[in-house]
Amino acid sequence: MVLKKNKIVLSLLSGVLLWLSWYPYGFTFLIFVAFVPLFILSDKLLERKKGIAFWQGIWSSFPAFIIWNTGVTWWIWNSTAPGAVAAIVLNSFFMSCVFGAWHWVKKSNLPKIAVPLAFIAFWCSWEFLHLNWQITWPWLNLGNVFAVHPALVQWYEYTGTFGGTIWVLGVNFLVYWFLQCGFQHRGAENTEVHREKSARILINLRHLCAKKNFITLTLTIIIPIIISLIIYKTYTINQENSIEAVIVQQNIDPWIEQYQKTNFELAELIIQTAAPKLTPNTALLVTSESALSRLINEEQLLNLDIFPHAAFQLFDTLFQQHPQLNVILGLSTAAVFDTKVSPAARAYPNGDFVEFYNTSCLYNKDTIELYRKSKLVPGVEKMPYPKIFGFLENLAIDLGGTSGSLGIDNEQRVFRTITAQGVVKVGVPICYESVYGELFSRFVNHGAQLMCVITNDAWWGNTPGHKQHFEMSKLRAIETRRYILRAANTGISGFIDPLGNASQQTQYEIRTVIAQTVYPNDKITFYTKYGDYLARMMLGISVLVVCSSLFFFFFGRAGFPPHVRRRLCRRRLTHAVGLSAILLALLAS
């Protein structure tokens, strides 16, 4: 009964610490101790030597993760109650499975250093999977927690957010070891034989262990911060080929108002709102996701001279006064095909198939270019694994102009804007795509010198959701060292420089316009070039750890002495590190 109470308390404590460490609750550095109660809980469970370790780990850690997910992402409820329940419960369960797998691995007599390595590898592998499978919801990937402190993680340009995940978990283990040494030292002093020579030696050794762990812990926290601050103070932002940009925040109610207005009326509103900030030198006018929310046929868009569109004719009159202006718009578009080109294409009675898209568009006096959102929101814009869950297609809610599964682009297309300084390439990821570091960097790898994030966060209301979403763009700016122009329907809009500093942040639910000079950048960062290489390394280590654990689970009972088992395990650990180094070399080449 005592263990059961302690188990619940430790799990709840971990959940509260994880919750409070997240923005906007303001206690970021609690993340460095948030997993420690779970590590202690794992030790207590293993002392009992009863039950199946995997399931023990799942059910004992689930309260922690349900508190974390609920406390940080409860606002999903404002857009979809079933989606909120599914996201929170499933995400918590998946996290518990990671903890359960690690708890099981601890029983296989791994050397001490392999225990934290296994957990870090498992957790990074989980985050990597959550970025790339169809039930994707990486909002709570641990590296995102530092989005509100960009000056402390400037080294993300080399590691991406997985560097932050490894840092967080590494520090948690060092805190855990430090506490272990402290408790053992106190216990040794309270024994009746503490005056004996052997006991004094043991106490001194544990005291020395605590000192070493404390020094290691301090350096592990301080050194990355010092390196980041040095980069932050010495990094020089390129200030050549300046571009004058304007961002419009329309403030249109997505539930009712945007469907009451025609695209012409919405375009008129955009121009009226932008007018006070437009000058003869303005090169970019950026609007939000679904800025023109009524469905438009892509054939018409790409042939406006043959099929005129009233909204775009309105922009044509704007170009007469501002000939070098480029307008970036969020659209809802559709394309018609003779055959079913993808699972998202829908059959119509006349035999045609129609595919709908959430689209970003570049329009100027010479050309029009389109990019279709390629990372869709599960259950809203795309039904994950349609062969399994296809029967739920009609339950998808309407977030962005169309309901049900949307079509996607097969690459991160880059727009070519024509400015007084020449051609400037601009990437325009849409909404949810700004959460994905590697996907975001593909725009830069395809030539983007500036980035525009267009989004519609009004679905969640004035909750922490839109604030968290804005902060994540700061990490993308650091990873790619690009200016980011963020246009949100109701806020937060703003400009973010390559160091992650935000300026002219708009207030929520305010119709407004902001203008600023921004600078293109051609340089490619290490992370942009190699992507989530750390996660791939950890994935390889995870496979080797599981294989080693299975080996000892089945063969460890066959008569191997403990020292032989430990030696074999260390050898496999060495192989894991070696293979990871080889993987890194292959990625670099």
Side-chain angles (χ1 to χ4, degrees):
M1 180 64 68
V2 174
L3 177 61
K4 187 175 182 180
K5 290 182 179 179
N6 288 340
K7 179 176 69 173
I8 294 173
V9 170
L10 288 169
S11 188
L12 294 177
L13 176 60
S14 194
V16 171
L17 291 171
L18 286 163
W19 167 27
L20 294 179
S21 67
W22 225 260
Y23 184 77
Y25 305 106
F27 303 98
T28 306
F29 286 92
L30 288 179
I31 198 70
F32 286 131
V33 297
F35 282 88
V36 173
L38 287 179
F39 298 156
I40 296 172
L41 172 59
S42 176
D43 286 342
K44 290 184 176 295
L45 290 173
L46 289 179
E47 288 173 3
R48 293 184 64 192
K49 298 181 180 179
K50 294 181 180 180
I52 300 174
F54 176 69
W55 290 109
Q56 280 185 332
I58 288 178
W59 302 126
S60 62
S61 63
F62 186 77
F65 297 128
I66 199 74
I67 289 174
W68 181 21
N69 280 267
T70 303
V72 178
T73 62
W74 60 268
W75 42 265
I76 307 172
W77 186 278
N78 282 20
S79 62
T80 162
V85 173
I88 290 170
V89 174
L90 283 176
N91 216 44
S92 302
F93 177 71
F94 293 145
M95 290 176 172
S96 298
C97 288
V98 176
F99 186 83
W102 173 72
H103 183 65
W104 172 78
V105 162
K106 282 180 68 177
K107 293 183 66 175
S108 61
N109 203 25
L110 293 174
K112 185 178 180 181
I113 189 61
V115 173
L117 179 62
F119 187 80
I120 293 170
F122 285 179
W123 196 272
C124 286
S125 299
W126 148 246
E127 289 191 349
F128 185 64
L129 171 66
H130 220 18
L131 286 166
N132 291 286
W133 69 339
Q134 292 186 29
I135 314 176
T136 177
W137 177 239
W139 206 266
L140 295 182
N141 282 12
L142 290 174
N144 293 336
V145 75
F146 299 109
V148 290
H149 303 290
L152 302 184
V153 288
Q154 292 295 311
W155 37 269
Y156 274 18
E157 71 167 295
Y158 300 100
T159 68
T161 56
F162 282 98
T165 296
I166 294 170
W167 187 32
V168 165
L169 295 178
V171 171
N172 269 274
F173 270 106
L174 289 172
V175 172
Y176 165 66
W177 284 341
F178 174 71
L179 294 176
Q180 268 192 327
C181 288
F183 290 139
Q184 290 172 352
H185 173 55
R186 182 179 297 177
E189 285 183 333
N190 290 334
T191 60
E192 294 181 1
V193 295
H194 74 278
R195 294 184 181 86
E196 296 181 8
K197 184 177 180 180
S198 59
R200 286 198 300 272
I201 292 173
L202 181 61
I203 291 170
N204 290 335
L205 287 174
R206 286 172 177 166
H207 189 60
L208 180 63
C209 168
K211 281 186 176 179
K212 288 183 177 179
N213 282 341
F214 178 75
I215 292 171
T216 305
L217 170 62
T218 304
L219 292 176
T220 304
I221 294 174
I222 290 176
I223 289 177
I225 293 176
I226 292 174
I227 291 172
S228 182
L229 291 175
I230 291 172
I231 297 173
Y232 185 76
K233 294 295 184 182
T234 58
Y235 185 87
T236 302
I237 297 176
N238 169 53
Q239 295 191 346
E240 298 177 356
N241 301 321
S242 62
I243 291 178
E244 189 176 301
V246 169
I247 296 174
V248 170
Q249 183 167 297
Q250 295 162 266
N251 192 37
I252 298 293
D253 175 18
W255 295 103
I256 300 174
E257 187 180 3
Q258 79 170 11
Y259 300 114
Q260 292 177 339
K261 294 182 179 293
T262 66
N263 281 341
F264 178 85
E265 292 173 322
L266 291 169
E268 193 173 37
L269 176 63
I270 290 170
I271 294 173
Q272 289 174 354
T273 307
K277 295 289 185 179
L278 292 176
T279 74
N281 297 321
T282 304
L284 273 179
L285 171 59
V286 186
T287 69
S288 68
E289 175 187 17
S290 301
L292 304 186
S293 55
R294 294 299 183 93
L295 196 65
I296 305 175
N297 190 315
E298 289 190 356
E299 184 180 2
Q300 179 183 10
L301 276 177
L302 298 174
N303 297 278
L304 289 174
D305 53 336
I306 303 174
F307 308 106
H309 190 288
F312 287 87
Q313 287 179 324
L314 196 59
F315 288 119
D316 288 338
T317 62
L318 189 64
F319 296 146
Q320 294 173 8
Q321 303 171 28
H322 305 275
Q324 67 166 327
L325 186 65
N326 299 267
V327 179
I328 290 176
L329 295 157
L331 308 175
S332 294
T333 65
V336 180
F337 302 95
D338 295 331
T339 60
K340 189 174 178 63
V341 294
S342 78
R346 308 174 197 185
Y348 271 55
N350 63 358
D352 289 336
F353 291 86
V354 179
E355 198 167 57
F356 300 96
Y357 309 101
N358 188 346
T359 305
S360 59
C361 164
L362 167 71
Y363 186 57
N364 57 38
K365 61 185 180 65
D366 296 317
T367 186
I368 186 167
E369 298 179 26
L370 304 177
Y371 164 70
R372 302 156 173 171
K373 185 178 181 182
S374 60
K375 182 66 75 171
L376 303 176
V377 181
V380 175
E381 296 175 319
K382 177 184 177 64
M383 186 55 61
Y385 303 108
K387 291 184 179 179
I388 301 174
F389 301 112
F391 67 96
L392 298 174
E393 184 75 22
N394 293 331
L395 298 181
I397 67 168
D398 186 353
L399 295 188
T402 58
S403 60
S405 290
L406 305 184
I408 61 173
D409 223 322
N410 55 11
E411 65 175 303
Q412 280 62 56
R413 302 179 188 276
V414 175
F415 298 149
R416 294 169 56 87
T417 63
I418 310 299
T419 71
Q421 289 75 25
V423 174
V424 175
K425 296 181 179 179
V426 181
V428 189
I430 304 170
C431 188
Y432 196 51
E433 294 182 312
S434 63
V435 182
Y436 297 82
E438 192 170 68
L439 180 142
F440 193 92
S441 68
R442 288 179 195 144
F443 288 96
V444 178
N445 280 320
H446 291 165
Q449 300 162 290
L450 288 174
M451 296 295 293
C452 299
V453 173
I454 64 173
T455 184
N456 183 6
D457 297 340
W459 304 105
W460 311 324
N462 194 2
T463 65
H466 75 276
K467 300 173 185 177
Q468 294 165 2
H469 197 195
F470 179 83
E471 297 297 327
M472 289 186 195
S473 289
K474 296 179 180 180
L475 301 180
R476 306 290 86 82
I478 294 170
E479 290 167 349
T480 60
R481 296 301 184 192
R482 293 294 187 272
Y483 266 95
I484 295 178
L485 289 65
R486 191 176 193 273
N489 173 26
T490 57
I492 303 171
S493 303
F495 296 90
I496 302 174
D497 72 18
L499 289 169
N501 299 315
S503 58
Q504 299 196 62
Q505 293 178 228
T506 62
Q507 294 182 357
Y508 197 77
E509 295 183 326
I510 298 294
R511 181 170 296 152
T512 187
V513 59
I514 54 177
Q516 186 169 307
T517 299
V518 296
Y519 304 92
N521 185 15
D522 290 316
K523 295 181 180 179
I524 301 296
T525 65
F526 187 90
Y527 175 76
T528 299
K529 188 173 183 180
Y530 299 115
D532 293 325
Y533 66 94
L534 285 176
R536 292 180 173 88
M537 289 174 59
M538 291 298 162
L539 185 61
I541 292 175
S542 295
V543 172
L544 291 169
V545 167
V546 170
C547 290
S548 298
S549 298
L550 287 172
F551 176 84
F552 286 110
F553 180 78
F554 290 110
F555 297 103
R557 304 173 183 176
F560 287 114
H563 71 280
V564 174
R565 293 202 298 268
R566 286 193 294 270
R567 186 179 304 167
L568 288 170
C569 195
R570 291 191 187 99
R571 188 174 298 169
R572 279 156 181 77
L573 181 64
T574 304
H575 292 167
V577 175
L579 286 173
S580 299
I582 293 171
L583 177 61
L584 178 60
L586 290 172
L587 288 168
S589 63

